[in-house]
Every structure is written in C-alpha cells, then in structure tokens.
Amino acid sequence: MSEVVSLERRGPIAVITVNNPPVNALGQAVREGLQKSFAAAEADAAVQAVVLVCEGNTFIAGADIKEFGKPPMAPSLPEVIEGLEACSKPSVAVIHGTALGGGLEVALGCHYRIARKDSQVGLPEVKLGLLPGAGGTQRLPRVAGVAKALDMIVSGAPIKAAEALQFNIVDELFEGDLREAGIAYAQKLIAEGRGARRTGEQSAALEGVDNAALVAAKHAEVAKRMRGLFSPLRCIAAVEASFSLPLSEGLKRERELFTECLSSPQRAALVYSFFSERQAAKVEGLDPKTPTRAFDKVAVIGGGTMGVGIALSFANAGIPVRILEISSEARDKAMERASGTYAASVKRGSLTQDAMDKRMALVTGVTDYADLADVDLVIEAVFEDMGVKQKVFEQLDAVCKPGAILASNTSSLDLNVIAGFTKRPQDVVGLHFFSPANVMRLLEVVRAEKTSDEVLATALAIGKKLKKVSVVVGVCDGFVGNRMVFQYGRESEFLLEEGATPEQVDGALKDFGMAMGPTAMRDLSGLDIGWSIRKRQRQELPAEYKLPVLLDKLCEAGWLGQKTGKGFFVYEAGNRNPQPNPDLQPLLEAASREQGIERRQLSAEYIIERTIYALINEGAKILEEGIAQRASDIDVIYLNGYGFPAYRGGPMFYAEQIGLDKVLARIQEFHAEHGAWWKPAPLLVKLASEGRTFSDWNGQ
Ligand code: 3HC
Ligand code: NAI
C-alpha cells in the first residue's frame, strides 16, 4: 500500500499494519496508506473483517505535530476516519502503548477496539493548544458519555486500559501478541456475525443524563483553573455539539473550532514547547550512544529541605536511597520529614498507605560516610557554604568507590571549584533540583569543565528515570534559572519602590499567566535569603548598579515571608494564600523616599515589560556566553521551574513573538532611565539589527 502502511490477508481477515517510527504519527503517508488499505479491504470480496495494528512501541500516538502550521496535505485525517467508519466490514483496532489524539480518533473510527493491558488512551490535544480535530470530540462522548469525554478532552490526561474498558472506550483487554489477539477478535466477530458497529451512529444524548449541566459545570471549572487558555473552552463547545447536533454537523463544528485553535498563537507556543522539551535532551557534542553508568544505589548528603525532596524523588522511582546527616538527631529529623511528606500525600488521597510504606522502605538514614562505600551516585545537598561543601567532597572522594558519580545540588557555588576538592573531577556533575524536589519537574544538569561525557549522559538518564525535564547548563552564578530570576525579582522590587503595590505587581504577572506573582514567590522562599545576597552585593557591585532598599526594611522589621507569617503579604496560620499586608504602605513610602522617588501609578503593561524584559535581556547574555545551549533550553527551564505560562512558550519565544527589535527598543529606554542593570545584551542588539531571532543563533 505504502512504505508505512501495509496490508496482508490472513484467510478472511485483512490485517493492516502501520509502521512509522518512532510513534506511528499520522503523517500524510500514513493517512494515505490507511485510506488505501481500508478501501482495498472493502473492495476485496474475500475479506470479512479488518484488523488495524501498529509496529513498534505504540499504537498511533497522534497527528504528526510537525505538520501543524504547514499547508494541509490530502487526505485529511477526518476524511480518512470517516472512510474507516463507513467500511461495511467490521474492523478492530488493536491498541498497545499509547493511543493518543488522532490515534485514539482512528481507533474510535474502527468498529471495535481491543487494548493490551498495559496500554493507555487519551486525547492530549489541549496540551498543544488544540482540540481533537478528527472526530474525537464527537465520537468519544458517544462511547464514554459526555462527563468522561469532557474530563479527558479538557484535561488531556490519558487513562489506563482498564479504565478505558470500564468506560466502553475499548471492548476487551488482552495480553501477548498484538496481531494474534486482533485476528482472534476478528474471527470471533465473523463467527458471531457481528457486523460494522459505527460509533458515529450511537447517541451521546442519553436519557436521564443532564449533559447541559455537565457542560456548564466544566465551563465554571475551566474559567477558574485554566484561566488565559484558548483551547479548553473550545474543547467544551465541541463536546457540546456531540449531543446537540447530528454527527455530520457536530463534525463540522469540531472542524471550525479546531481551525480556530490551530491558528492561535497559543498553539504555536505549546507545540514549540513540546519540541523544545525533547530538544533539551539532546546535548551538542554528546554522542547519544555514550554509555551510561548504573545508579542502583544512591545516597544524598544532607537531609534538609532539598535533600529529603531529592531522596523522595529516587524512592518514587523505586531506587533505594540513603540520607546521610551530621548527627543521629538530624538523621531522625530527616527521616521524619520524609515520612511526613508522604503521610501528607496519603492524607490528601494522592498516595495509598501501601505505596507510602513501600517507598519509605527504600529510604534509610545514616550518619557514617563508611556507609556510602558501595553507592553508585551521591548527591550533596548540605548548606550553601563552600567550606562545608569542601569537607563533604573530600570525604566522598576518600570513601566512594571508583566510578561513583559525585553530584552537587548547589544553587550558586562554583562547581569547578567543588570538583577540584576531589581527585576525580571527571565524575563530578551538578544536579540542581528545584524546591520541592519531589514535585518540581525541572532538573538543571550542570556540566563542569571536567565532567566526563559518560557522567553527563548518566545525569540525563537519571533525570529521565526520575521523570524530570533535564536541561544541561554551564557553570555561572545561579546557572540559568536563578541567574535570570534574580533580575526579575529585583525589578519587581523596584516597581514597588516606584509606586506599585504587591497586589498590582503580582496581579499583572498572574494575568500574564505566571503561576505565582514575584512578590508572593519571594515570600515563599524566604526574604532573608535575598537579604543576605543583597548585603554581599552592596559590597561587591560597582556603584552604578543601584539596588532596592525595600527588602532590607521588611527583614529589619522581622518580616521574612511565609515562615514568619508576614512579608510583602501576610499569611494566616495554615494558609499559604497571600493576603494584603496592612502595615506595608509606610515601608513602601519610606523606601521610595530613601531612593528619591515620587510614587506613581504603574500600568499592568509596564509591570510586565519591566519584569519579563529583564528575564529576556539576561537570557540573551546567558545564550551568548554558552551557559545555555539554545534559547529553547532557557524556555524549558522557565516553563518547568518558574511557572512561566506554557502558552507563551517561555521568555525567549515570547520575545520573538513581540519582535526582538521592539523588545530591544524598550530595554534601551529602560537603560536610559534606570541605568546599568538594563545595559542591552550584545546578542540582543546583534540579532535585532540583523533581523534575526534567538532560535537562529548558532554561536555566530
Ligand atoms: N508527531 C510527531 N512527532 C512526535 C509525536 C507526534 N504526535 N509524538 C512524538 N513525536 C516524536 C518526538 O518529537 C520524539 O522525536 P525525537 O526523538 O526526534 O526527539 C519522538 O517522537 C519520541 O517521543 P518522546 O521522546 O516523547 O517519546 P516517549 O516514549 O517519551 O513518549 C509519547 C511517547 C507518549 C507518544 C509522547 O511522545 C507524546 O506524548 N507525544 C505527543 C502525543 C500527542 O500529543 N498526540 C496528539 C497530537 S495532536 C492530534 O492528534 C490532533 C488530532 O486530533 C487531529
Ligand atoms: P537546609 O538547610 O534545609 O538543609 C541542609 C541540611 O544539610 C541540614 O539538614 C544539615 O543538617 C545538613 N548538613 C549540613 N552539613 C552537613 C554535613 N557536613 N554532612 C551531612 N549533612 C550536613 O538547606 P536546603 O535548602 O536543603 O539546601 C541544601 C542545598 O541545596 C544548598 O546547596 C542550596 O543552595 C541548594 N538548593 C536549595 C534550594 C531551596 O529552594 N532551598 C533549591 C535548589 C538548591
């Protein structure tokens, strides 16, 4: 039929096989192959049933995302699926791996579906700023009901095969060989005389189910929880058509809504994010075939906030982990923190007691370095102090076996210096987790000067095993994420001194889509951290780098953020929601006076420019210095570690959408007005003057 879709006859059964690695995406050749194969099966009088099966690790995982935004190529997917559904001979889709998006839509176009027990199905289009555009919004409600369809389509989350069976999305589960299971099912269909059973001919308007109420409830939920997103409301509108319109009109409505989403900037940003995340796993100059080392036995040094979170990440992945602390009291406290974290999840209902017990059994507390002699990997997470780190690394060098990977979670210290404390700098790497480490997806993998390729490749494998998004970065103060966020935090504080309130600054940035406002974020991490950095900077920085004074005033008043119940905002006991601080205004005014500033009204647009453009300018410097390999890596860091809205792609992508020339012009104005911090990054000047973008940057 075509290179990627083949047809073979097994007696009265036509077996159609898709073979389009890596995920059997529905590119043009697959669509055409499917169309022709089904037509051939239809035309062949000897064929009584059709089996659709896929090679490789998965059933069709969706439309070919690379084709989005390009001129459409016939046949379209909806057309192919309508053909499949119209086939007069019963067809069965044999699902394994993940039947996602267009893949599930193809399966719903088939008349029956069987799924391997370990498979999953889902309609994740919303995560790409889309909605299922090949009948998914019309056919899924017809088999699973409107409530389940709304949940699956609006969340984009896949479900396991057993749940798919429960909701009639599949007819039977199987184990073992795919093709044989499909053929056996088809033979059963023939023997029982069960013909074509078309999903589209069923109804989603079931008696006794108030679909309109389900739609209204989902609307309310989306308005609250998915604010700013373009496609979820359109997903709901499409599902609504499944019970309010006949199939052909519902499909038309779905198509219109899909096209709207396809041409939205959010879709472009989300698809960019999808590929950026996968691109980040590829490291320039690192052969993908580089061998990796084992990491079956792991130790974490320091059982504080980060150490425990890191240890739990390993336990969650089923890897035994030891936490080494300075004393038996500190060790016991670390173990209590670990079990307390799990217990909170059990209480919330997100973890079972049994799972907690299994995971806790993997965590051991120790105090003696001799207990680390056999570990494959150590991650240091002690105080952020070079002297303390030196002692730890010297001890590790003395006790750890040759080839053990020695990692540091330092957030600002020079990893090259740390590596120099050992006689094996090639085995030292940075694994910079984000707090809470057992929850946050981001992992900055810091490549020091002497880190070996094998250790770097293993660090990436560790990230994958822990289900983190890893991004390789170079050594500098704060690496990528924190170095940029420092600029952002400082500007947000300047805005408070110039006339804004914390509610205005955070409100503007939350409306922009940030998960959290910068002022509330600083309250969360503790204002004293910034204060001590500030004091150091006052000594070190040249005079033209002016610093805000507001933070000092808060800390002098003993307001350190959430941990003291008061900071830029106030916090009621047990409630992390920031409330306006009624005592803040005099401090704001005092800070403005001290800086010689007359307070003024600042618009939301201005607040966004001052903070987000500060990120962009620093990002450009980081890119030029080679600390990040590519602009998209910086974006991946911001999306996964700093709550930047995925539908804006990340700060660097956002800058390109605005236009680098426009961003530069504003930065030049800020430079003239606010001085040295705003010196435009040379790379930004260069690219803007050459009409190029960050994504074009290849070091030249
Ligand atoms: N189109 C094109 N390429 C795809 C793709 C797709 N739908 N899905 C994955 N790929 C590519 C990846 O870019 C990657 O390429 P690379 O090796 O060159 O970097 C490769 O396939 C492997 O992907 P992963 O690294 O993600 O592999 P995993 O095994 O970790 O995950 C997966 C596999 C679960 C299928 C995951 O890739 C995934 O979630 N893919 C996206 C699924 C999706 O969103 N489908 C819906 C598409 S939209 C649609 O169908 C519209 C329709 O309604 C009209
Ligand atoms: P923390 O103060 O909560 O914990 C540090 C722990 O290390 C304490 O329990 C202490 O008893 C223990 N410790 C100190 N010296 C030790 C030694 N010689 N041997 C064994 N244990 C020792 O600190 P936190 O916040 O967990 O930070 C740890 C490291 O992680 C630092 O390098 C920090 O910069 C980095 N980091 C912190 C983040 C955060 O948000 N807190 C985020 C990312 C990195």
Side-chain angles (χ1 to χ4, degrees), residues 292-315:
T292 55
R293 298 185 190 166
F295 48 95
D296 302 325
K297 291 187 197 134
V298 178
V300 175
I301 316 294
T305 313
M306 292 308 290
V308 166
I310 295 168
L312 298 185
S313 298
F314 281 94

Side-chain angles (χ1 to χ4, degrees), residues 600-621:
R600 62 195 170 99
Q601 282 289 329
L602 304 176
S603 70
E605 190 192 354
Y606 184 78
I607 291 170
I608 290 163
E609 286 179 343
R610 278 284 294 280
T611 47
I612 303 293
Y613 289 10
L615 288 177
I616 296 166
N617 201 34
E618 195 66 21
K621 291 178 192 166

Side-chain angles (χ1 to χ4, degrees), residues 485-494 497 522 527-541 545-556 568 591 595 677:
V485 90
F486 167 72
Q487 310 292 330
Y488 173 79
R490 186 203 57 244
E491 285 308 306
S492 68
E493 197 180 330
F494 272 138
E497 294 187 344
R522 299 177 90 191
L527 302 185
D528 46 338
I529 299 177
W531 195 25
S532 66
I533 298 176
R534 193 59 61 74
K535 285 181 198 154
R536 177 163 55 81
Q537 286 179 330
R538 288 221 169 84
Q539 313 273 318
E540 291 172 358
L541 279 171
Y545 287 90
K546 212 177 81 176
L547 286 162
V549 294
L550 179 62
L551 186 76
D552 306 61
K553 296 196 182 305
L554 269 77
C555 291
E556 281 157 14
F568 289 105
Q595 301 275 40
W677 290 115

Side-chain angles (χ1 to χ4, degrees), residues 300-308 310 324-327 330-331 333-334 337 369 380-385 388-389 391-392 395 408-413 431-436 482 525 529:
V300 175
I301 316 294
T305 313
M306 292 308 290
V308 166
I310 295 168
L324 184 137
E325 261 292 351
I326 29 176
S327 64
R331 174 202 62 198
K333 241 169 100 181
R337 193 175 289 141
Y369 275 83
E380 166 278 312
V382 301
F383 302 133
E384 188 72 339
D385 177 294
V388 182
K389 306 252 187 218
K391 282 203 191 101
V392 169
Q395 272 164 297
S408 173
N409 182 48
T410 180
S411 37
S412 60
L413 299 175
L431 290 179
H432 186 217
F433 290 79
F434 287 73
S435 182
N482 285 348
S525 46
I529 299 177

Side-chain angles (χ1 to χ4, degrees), residues 36-270:
K36 288 193 172 153
S37 303
F38 270 84
E42 177 79 331
D44 186 342
V47 169
Q48 295 179 40
V50 184
V51 169
L52 174 63
V53 65
C54 293
E55 290 288 350
N57 292 333
T58 181
F59 190 76
I60 299 163
D64 187 339
I65 303 172
K66 294 195 188 85
E67 286 184 359
F68 293 157
K70 297 191 180 146
M73 284 182 287
S76 74
L77 188 57
E79 188 185 329
V80 172
I81 294 177
E82 278 176 53
L84 249 83
E85 187 168 59
C87 183
S88 66
K89 298 161 186 180
S91 59
V92 52
V94 183
I95 294 171
H96 76 295
T98 44
L100 298 177
L104 180 56
E105 291 174 302
V106 165
L108 288 166
C110 291
H111 304 142
Y112 300 88
R113 291 159 290 282
I114 61 171
R116 204 169 69 186
K117 278 193 173 150
D118 59 354
S119 62
Q120 298 196 349
V121 304
L123 292 173
E125 285 86 344
V126 71
K127 294 185 183 165
L128 299 172
L130 288 168
L131 52 90
T137 65
Q138 306 306 297
R139 292 192 179 91
L140 187 63
R142 285 177 157 83
V143 296
V146 169
K148 189 67 190 168
L150 279 171
D151 281 351
M152 286 178 67
I153 293 170
V154 172
S155 75
I159 60 169
K160 297 197 167 121
E163 194 176 347
L165 179 67
Q166 200 188 326
F167 282 93
N168 303 319
I169 300 169
V170 301
D171 300 285
E172 203 172 277
L173 304 187
F174 69 91
E175 280 175 301
D177 187 76
L178 305 172
R179 203 166 265 97
E180 294 314 316
I183 290 168
Y185 196 84
Q187 279 165 342
K188 205 162 71 174
L189 291 175
I190 297 169
E192 292 171 6
R194 286 152 72 196
R197 181 197 60 177
R198 297 184 183 92
T199 310
E201 288 171 2
Q202 301 174 35
S203 173
L206 300 181
E207 227 168 279
V209 181
D210 188 350
N211 283 333
L214 292 171
V215 161
K218 195 48 98 180
H219 251 283
E221 186 190 319
V222 164
K224 202 167 145 205
R225 291 214 273 133
M226 299 173 104
R227 226 156 54 103
L229 287 172
F230 185 82
S231 69
L233 289 174
R234 284 158 185 82
C235 288
I236 301 177
V239 173
E240 197 170 5
S242 72
F243 61 84
S244 59
L245 297 174
L247 179 72
S248 60
E249 283 180 46
L251 288 171
K252 239 170 82 190
R253 178 85 185 112
E254 177 193 80
R255 203 68 209 159
E256 286 161 12
L257 292 160
F258 179 79
T259 311
E260 271 181 38
C261 292
L262 199 59
S263 48
S264 82
Q266 292 197 0
R267 192 277 305 157
L270 287 161

Side-chain angles (χ1 to χ4, degrees), residues 455-478:
V455 168
L456 188 67
T458 311
L460 292 169
I462 293 166
K464 195 156 189 172
K465 180 78 186 170
L466 301 188
K467 297 206 170 79
K468 303 284 180 199
V469 178
S470 305
V471 183
V472 174
V473 301
V475 177
C476 70
D477 190 356

Side-chain angles (χ1 to χ4, degrees), residues 277-616:
E277 204 172 286
R278 275 139 192 94
Q279 179 81 350
K282 296 171 185 121
V283 182
E284 305 264 314
L286 181 73
D287 184 343
K289 294 196 197 80
T290 306
T292 55
R293 298 185 190 166
F295 48 95
D296 302 325
K297 291 187 197 134
V298 178
V300 175
I301 316 294
T305 313
M306 292 308 290
V308 166
I310 295 168
L312 298 185
S313 298
F314 281 94
N316 293 346
I319 300 174
V321 58
R322 294 163 220 178
I323 303 178
L324 184 137
E325 261 292 351
I326 29 176
S327 64
S328 44
E329 294 77 38
R331 174 202 62 198
D332 294 347
K333 241 169 100 181
M335 291 301 286
E336 274 166 34
R337 193 175 289 141
S339 58
T341 307
Y342 278 144
S345 304
V346 172
K347 201 167 158 205
R348 271 199 309 273
S350 56
L351 189 73
T352 63
Q353 184 63 48
D354 183 46
M356 167 175 166
D357 296 344
K358 284 201 180 107
R359 291 182 198 186
M360 269 315 286
L362 296 171
V363 186
T364 323
V366 299
T367 54
D368 189 350
Y369 275 83
D371 286 328
L372 309 187
D374 66 337
V375 296
D376 304 310
L377 163 71
V378 187
I379 302 170
E380 166 278 312
V382 301
F383 302 133
E384 188 72 339
D385 177 294
M386 198 54 113
V388 182
K389 306 252 187 218
Q390 175 166 7
K391 282 203 191 101
V392 169
F393 273 84
E394 283 170 355
Q395 272 164 297
L396 291 175
D397 197 22
V399 299
C400 290
K401 67 180 184 189
I405 295 178
L406 310 182
S408 173
N409 182 48
T410 180
S411 37
S412 60
L413 299 175
D414 187 335
L415 190 67
N416 293 320
V417 173
I418 294 179
F421 297 142
T422 73
K423 288 187 227 51
R424 38 175 132 175
Q426 73 283 357
D427 293 336
V428 176
V429 69
L431 290 179
H432 186 217
F433 290 79
F434 287 73
S435 182
N438 51 321
V439 176
M440 296 293 289
R441 286 183 80 216
L442 180 62
L443 180 66
E444 281 182 337
V445 174
V446 191
R447 182 185 208 169
E449 263 165 26
K450 295 193 176 146
T451 307
S452 75
D453 281 2
E454 206 173 290
V455 168
L456 188 67
T458 311
L460 292 169
I462 293 166
K464 195 156 189 172
K465 180 78 186 170
L466 301 188
K467 297 206 170 79
K468 303 284 180 199
V469 178
S470 305
V471 183
V472 174
V473 301
V475 177
C476 70
D477 190 356
F479 310 119
V480 172
N482 285 348
R483 176 170 157 184
M484 285 167 68
V485 90
F486 167 72
Q487 310 292 330
Y488 173 79
R490 186 203 57 244
E491 285 308 306
S492 68
E493 197 180 330
F494 272 138
L495 291 168
L496 298 176
E497 294 187 344
E498 287 166 32
T501 62
E503 294 80 59
Q504 284 165 345
V505 170
D506 283 21
L509 283 153
K510 279 175 75 179
D511 285 346
F512 174 79
M514 298 300 291
M516 207 175 182
T519 1
M521 189 166 88
R522 299 177 90 191
D523 271 355
L524 174 68
S525 46
L527 302 185
D528 46 338
I529 299 177
W531 195 25
S532 66
I533 298 176
R534 193 59 61 74
K535 285 181 198 154
R536 177 163 55 81
Q537 286 179 330
R538 288 221 169 84
Q539 313 273 318
E540 291 172 358
L541 279 171
E544 70 262 32
Y545 287 90
K546 212 177 81 176
L547 286 162
V549 294
L550 179 62
L551 186 76
D552 306 61
K553 296 196 182 305
L554 269 77
C555 291
E556 281 157 14
W559 304 349
L560 304 184
Q562 280 199 20
K563 59 183 159 192
T564 57
K566 199 166 186 177
F568 289 105
F569 295 94
V570 289
Y571 303 85
E572 287 160 19
N575 186 347
R576 287 168 172 269
N577 277 339
Q579 304 296 331
N581 180 343
D583 304 320
L584 186 69
Q585 193 60 27
L587 271 66
L588 290 177
E589 285 168 14
S592 306
R593 254 197 321 276
E594 199 172 314
Q595 301 275 40
I597 296 170
E598 192 159 333
R599 294 181 69 75
R600 62 195 170 99
Q601 282 289 329
L602 304 176
S603 70
E605 190 192 354
Y606 184 78
I607 291 170
I608 290 163
E609 286 179 343
R610 278 284 294 280
T611 47
I612 303 293
Y613 289 10
L615 288 177
I616 296 166

